[in-house]
Amino acid sequence: MNSEAGTVEPTAGPNSDPVLVEVHPGAGVIDRHENVLLVIPVVGTHQWPQVKELLELWHRPGAHIPNAQERTADALLTAAEAGGLPGLVLLHGLDGDVDVRAYGDVEVTLDGSDQRSFSGTDARPWVARRVPGSVSILRVLAGGAAGSTTPGPSPFHLEGGTVPGSGVTLHRAGLPPPLSGAPQATVARKAVTFESVLLTDVAEQRPPRRPALPLEDPADLLDVAPEGETPEFVDGVECPMGHFNDPASTNCVTCGTALEWLPGRTVRRPRPPLGVLVTDTGSVFALTGGYVIGRAPERDQAVLSGRAKALVLHDVGQSVSRVHAQLDVSGWRVFVTDRGSANGTFISRAAQGAPWERVRDNPPTVFTPGARLRIGGRQVLFETYREEAAGRVGRL
Amino acid sequence: MDGIADYVFLRQLGQGPHGRVQLARTPARLAVDDEHVAVKVIGGATSKDAFYRVAQELGSIAALRCELLARVFDVGLHEGTAYIAMRYYPRGSLVEPGMQLSRRQRLVAVARAARAAHELHEAGTVHRAIKLSNVLLDDAGGCLSDPGTAQLLKPGLTVTGLGPSSDMGARSELEYVDPWLLRGRHVGRSSDIWSLGVTLHAALTGHGLYPRMPSTDPLVAVRLHVKATPELDPDLVAEERAVIGRALHPERSRRYRTAAELAEDIEALAHGG
Ligand SMILES: Nc1ncnc2c1ncn2[C@@H]1O[C@H](COP(=O)(O)OP(=O)(O)OP(=O)(O)O)[C@@H](O)[C@H]1O
Ligand SMILES: [Mg+2]
Ligand SMILES: [Zn+2]
């Protein structure tokens, strides 16, 4: 494998773009994805975390597909309304009628006319306008003093991606940018830096081959810990078929046979996965050990030290803290603790409609199969598919 | 038009759970003859650590030089976004083949995917994402693409998010996942063999094994899915049912022991019918 960092000046593609997005230099953020544009002219230092999160939402796969655009835009603006976000403008459909949504202190000017300009503060919570295709120049800048001076022509045209900037001027209908007196600028693109691992010449350094996967799949009887994880040994009982179970279970979790537990009949084996965590977006995580749950749990000490895995829950409203809650597995049980989150962690123990109780740290709260956690605006379910799961809840 | 790194996108080829796949002109630095490549842009930010894990894994798979696996040329990270550049297969995948395929051609493609999975298993790797859209069509009859990298991006992850509005997508993504994984068990040969069984059923019948999901709430969907029993299409002939039934046996130990054994039986179906 050959690892390299490349700096490449891409050449202009054959498809000359009918819409030119001229970016004015500055420290805000401009993001273009084909015919969808997000403009945040000014970002205060304290606003970066929110803006970063907003961009993450914006870059989620599928966020730009036509019927999702509406929803994503609504989510963005709702998040903006919830506070802490700078003024922003969303433009959909750059090459025809443009749907403009302006929020906060931002100014949109049409064909350079002051009479035809509007501000994101003209209406609450935001201004939604349809700008007809006949408008050929559309400019977005910060409102008030920050945007009062008309920017000079910029040679920098955005074709796609996220770049810094203080605003944009859209030149539509193939019109060249109006360069009053300035020399005709050519479409310049910024140099691209990226990291790449070429796999076209891998044969030269053959990496050591891993051993083949075991043939007799032991998963039905005994679970092996995934690569890189040390199995934790626990005491359990075996059903007549040899399936390994929690001594507190009344029936085998695998085959359903009744377990007659006799003291002294326990065996010590690696703990099988206790079930799965299902998030409200349908991601499924194996519950083989601890998790730190939050918006950005990767750099938490428990994750860095390998004691727990990171479970990232995104939430634009900032209702999920960076490190929000923690799950610890001990023996056959799972414990949940709140990690000092802003909004608290709540548990609902039964399937539907059970009341939410706040998770207490002392004594730690037991997280039982079938229970749900509420973490800010998100939910996580502990699912086991054990037939007797409901019966077990009372016994823990 | 968009691009990433030094790839200039020409048009979108498709969209999957992890991002979009774009057709791009081949940059000279790849030193491959193909005029075009397919570039998958992974949605969301990817950390350097995760990127190196993915690059490492795809590197060791590329080192197998297995003709049955779709070729990956380049893995990269550009401003926090990861991409994977691979050979462009103009005939597409078994989901939406760019041409009419006979039953035999479809069976040959799935058999080749099963052989590819076996090669991966023998090299200590579980594919984790075998499905119709990852059986790409080529001159040799088909190859297997996109060994699951989701797990490398997010340790512990078994099923990638189903997305809020994709009840169709949710259904089909879940179907391919061995129910044992949803119960928290580990991946292995047998979980890929399950996915191959679902792929085979879909290639023969054009539809899935489960009734339509009554709820689009993912929390409910996963729970209902695991309690549901897969049902084979009644129009399948006995030999086909036998092969699919064995790949999908509820007990892992009673499924095909290896993907190669499954491949042999699929080849027999292809040549018998
Ligand atoms: N190399 C390729 N050549 C041609 N078409 C491709 C190629 N790779 C993917 N596609 C097309 O793009 C679509 C989406 O592919 P993608 O791999 O993103 O999703 P997927 O296969 O459903 O999921 P996964 O991410 O698990 O592979 C596929 O259905 C296929 O039609
Ligand atoms: Mg794929
Ligand atoms: Zn049992």
Side-chain angles (χ1 to χ4, degrees):
Chain A
M1 272 192 299
N2 162 19
S3 185
E4 60 170 38
T7 300
V8 176
E9 203 77 47
T11 46
N15 312 59
S16 68
D17 203 327
V19 183
L20 292 179
V21 178
E22 188 185 351
V23 173
H24 305 298
V29 175
I30 321 288
D31 182 279
R32 178 176 183 188
H33 190 279
E34 285 163 14
N35 270 331
V36 184
L37 195 63
L38 169 66
V39 184
I40 311 177
V42 179
V43 181
T45 339
H46 62 287
Q47 291 169 321
W48 276 110
Q50 283 95 314
V51 168
K52 237 188 103 208
E53 198 159 338
L54 188 120
L55 287 169
E56 263 169 40
L57 177 87
W58 193 238
H59 291 151
R60 257 185 353 198
H64 300 283
I65 57 177
N67 56 4
Q69 279 175 6
E70 207 61 27
R71 267 204 315 277
T72 308
D74 284 347
L76 285 187
L77 290 166
T78 312
E81 236 198 315
L85 273 175
L88 60 94
V89 179
L90 280 165
L91 302 119
H92 281 105
L94 304 185
D95 53 4
D97 291 354
V98 196
D99 281 319
V100 181
R101 271 173 259 212
Y103 165 83
D105 201 12
V106 284
E107 200 78 40
V108 181
T109 315
L110 308 181
D111 283 332
S113 150
D114 278 349
Q115 281 87 56
R116 298 187 66 191
S117 72
F118 57 93
S119 159
T121 52
D122 289 352
R124 295 221 153 257
W126 59 78
V127 176
R129 286 265 183 106
R130 171 159 282 213
V131 172
S134 57
V135 169
S136 59
I137 298 176
L138 200 154
R139 176 168 287 156
V140 178
L141 292 171
S148 60
T149 45
T150 310
S154 141
F156 180 13
H157 292 205
L158 182 62
E159 301 212 319
T162 315
V163 294
S166 64
V168 296
T169 303
L170 262 63
H171 303 276
R172 302 168 358 120
L175 292 178
L179 295 171
S180 40
Q184 182 71 44
T186 47
V187 178
R189 271 170 255 217
K190 68 188 168 105
V192 186
T193 44
F194 61 92
E195 216 171 315
S196 146
V197 178
L198 274 185
L199 303 182
T200 43
D201 57 356
V202 282
E204 280 132 50
Q205 320 122 288
R206 282 166 206 275
R209 214 181 139 99
R210 274 180 278 200
L213 295 173
L215 252 193
E216 194 61 41
D217 197 328
D220 263 353
L221 291 172
L222 176 71
D223 278 282
V224 282
E227 212 183 324
E229 277 179 40
T230 17
E232 190 186 320
F233 280 78
V234 289
D235 291 324
V237 289
E238 285 181 343
C239 84
M241 306 276 295
H243 304 135
F244 190 48
N245 286 278
D246 178 354
S249 304
T250 50
N251 294 77
C252 171
V253 297
T254 308
C255 65
T257 314
L259 296 172
E260 281 168 54
W261 183 68
L262 302 168
R265 286 267 298 278
T266 57
V267 285
R268 208 166 169 74
R269 298 219 315 221
R271 179 182 54 223
L274 297 179
V276 289
L277 300 169
V278 185
T279 72
D280 50 10
T281 53
S283 292
V284 178
F285 293 81
L287 195 42
T288 52
Y291 277 95
V292 178
I293 308 176
R295 197 154 42 87
E298 297 94 338
R299 314 231 49 93
D300 186 71
Q301 202 44 49
V303 175
L304 291 176
S305 68
R307 272 186 294 123
K309 291 194 277 270
L311 199 165
V312 181
L313 290 180
H314 288 293
D315 187 30
V316 268
Q318 294 268 307
S319 64
V320 179
S321 297
R322 302 180 70 77
V323 172
H324 197 115
Q326 182 161 339
L327 300 182
D328 291 291
V329 181
S330 166
W332 294 88
R333 293 204 203 176
V334 185
F335 295 95
V336 55
T337 42
D338 185 82
R339 291 282 311 270
S341 70
N343 294 323
T345 302
F346 296 82
I347 187 165
S348 168
R349 296 197 171 275
Q352 301 293 326
W356 291 102
E357 291 165 42
R358 201 184 187 104
V359 163
R360 305 262 163 232
D361 290 358
N362 206 0
T365 305
V366 181
F367 190 22
T368 47
R372 290 181 186 210
L373 293 180
R374 198 176 81 206
I375 291 167
R378 303 288 312 267
Q379 287 191 27
V380 175
L381 170 72
F382 177 8
E383 190 63 283
T384 55
Y385 314 109
R386 298 174 183 208
E387 294 313 318
E388 81 297 3
R392 287 190 38 176
V393 174
R395 307 183 52 196
L396 282 169
Chain B
M1 282 274 115
D2 269 330
I4 193 165
D6 51 348
Y7 296 88
V8 180
F9 296 160
L10 303 173
R11 67 184 162 87
Q12 183 166 318
L13 294 171
Q15 180 156 13
H18 306 113
R20 300 152 184 275
V21 181
Q22 310 266 3
L23 183 70
R25 228 165 301 125
T26 311
R29 69 182 172 90
L30 296 192
V32 291
D33 292 336
D34 312 34
E35 189 185 348
H36 295 122
V37 288
V39 182
K40 181 186 285 194
V41 179
I42 309 287
T46 299
S47 71
K48 284 217 166 186
D49 285 355
F51 164 66
Y52 289 132
R53 283 199 296 269
V54 170
Q56 174 92 44
E57 182 68 15
L58 293 181
S60 51
I61 292 172
L64 299 175
R65 309 208 121 208
C66 174
E67 292 293 315
L68 296 159
L69 292 166
R71 246 190 105 187
V72 177
F73 297 132
D74 177 29
V75 198
L77 189 67
H78 180 193
E79 287 170 1
T81 300
Y83 69 83
I84 299 168
M86 59 186 300
R87 171 163 286 162
Y88 166 52
Y89 294 83
R91 277 172 245 171
S93 72
L94 277 183
V95 184
E96 46 211 10
M99 59 197 227
Q100 196 68 34
L101 293 179
S102 66
R103 172 181 178 276
R104 182 172 171 158
Q105 284 173 312
R106 278 174 280 140
L107 286 171
V108 165
V110 179
R112 289 176 60 86
R115 294 224 172 264
H118 183 71
E119 291 301 318
L120 287 175
H121 296 167
E122 290 299 298
T125 300
V126 186
H127 185 292
R128 292 167 181 268
I130 301 174
K131 50 187 163 184
L132 281 185
S133 62
N134 282 339
V135 183
L136 297 176
L137 298 162
D138 61 7
D139 290 338
C143 64
L144 185 61
S145 79
D146 296 322
T149 41
Q151 163 74 24
L152 297 166
L153 297 166
K154 290 179 185 167
L157 185 69
T158 303
V159 180
T160 313
L162 309 169
S165 67
S166 56
D167 61 332
M168 259 301 292
R171 169 89 277 173
S172 50
E173 285 293 307
L174 264 180
E175 277 205 29
Y176 287 103
V177 177
D178 180 357
W180 282 108
L181 303 189
L182 297 176
R183 295 180 176 109
R185 300 301 168 106
H186 301 303
V187 294
R189 289 180 194 253
S190 65
S191 55
D192 274 354
I193 289 171
W194 167 280
S195 311
L196 284 164
V198 179
T199 307
L200 175 59
H201 183 274
L204 283 171
T205 66
H207 59 80
L209 288 148
Y210 291 84
R212 239 191 97 82
M213 187 65 77
S215 169
T216 53
D217 174 359
L219 292 179
V220 179
V222 173
R223 172 169 279 186
L224 291 180
H225 175 79
V226 170
K227 301 223 155 110
T229 1
E231 275 178 37
L232 304 196
D233 188 313
D235 292 339
L236 291 168
V237 301
E239 293 78 17
E240 295 165 342
R241 296 181 76 82
V243 177
I244 299 170
R246 195 169 158 205
L248 301 182
H249 200 284
E251 272 182 57
R252 285 179 148 191
S253 55
R254 297 187 55 192
R255 295 182 192 161
Y256 285 95
R257 271 169 21 114
T258 66
E261 288 170 21
L262 170 59
E264 251 163 58
D265 279 5
I266 301 173
E267 282 154 10
L269 288 178
H271 297 107

